[in-house]
Amino acid sequence: MSDEIEEITWQGKWITARRRGKWEYVSRARGIRAAAIIAIDDEDHVLLVDQYRVPLGKRCLELPAGLIGDEAGREGDSPLETARRELIEETGYDCGAVENLGDYFASPGLVTESFTLVRATGLTRVGEGGGLEDEDIVVHRVPRSDLAAFVAAKRAEGLGIDAKILLLLSGALLTD
């Protein structure tokens, strides 16, 4: 399959639609990737965010996250630099340490998008959070022991649940 010609069928500022043989898929323009953050404070609370997502037509519960290299002057930022900046911007918390937990693919049958999963510890509240002025991000500080019930309640309220939340529910990546 690797010898088939890839065709760009449409390209916008942020995404590119592609075709290779019978496969149609989407990639982020300019090779932009994301950093997703598992943020755990010293009292064993996890930080989550919810925000309106246009493709879903509703709010979605998510890990704090952000695009790497999407802003002018920040094209060379590392996943760890991006994670720290986005954590402060979205949640109002800074961290004492960030650890790279590896690269993962969001939905490999449809998109080429990958994200670097980062664990942030040593959290300190430094601001309000809520994202940039054009974002409407709500911050949730949830005890890990209540996480499954919290996610179920948000689903019952009608929020979409980002699949990366399953990483928290499995617990395997939360321990040292």
Side-chain angles (χ1 to χ4, degrees), residues 46-99:
V46 176
L47 298 181
L48 301 174
V49 296
D50 79 61
Q51 60 187 308
Y52 184 80
R53 292 299 192 178
V54 171
L56 302 181
K58 60 183 175 181
R59 296 187 74 81
C60 187
L61 185 66
E62 308 171 358
L63 298 177
L67 297 177
I68 303 166
D70 65 324
E71 298 176 30
R74 296 197 177 275
E75 297 86 354
D77 280 5
S78 73
L80 297 180
E81 290 168 325
T82 298
R84 185 174 209 155
R85 183 181 70 252
E86 290 290 340
L87 183 65
I88 294 168
E89 180 181 295
E90 291 192 358
T91 70
Y93 284 81
D94 196 358
C95 59
V98 287
E99 176 187 2

Side-chain angles (χ1 to χ4, degrees), residues 105-142:
F105 294 88
S107 183
L110 178 64
V111 298
T112 63
E113 179 181 30
S114 67
F115 62 93
T116 299
L117 187 64
V118 171
R119 179 172 35 210
T121 54
L123 304 183
T124 305
R125 184 93 190 227
V126 296
E128 290 298 311
L132 301 174
E133 57 193 45
D134 63 338
E135 297 174 313
D136 178 21
I137 295 175
V138 176
V139 181
H140 303 279
R141 184 176 171 263
V142 183

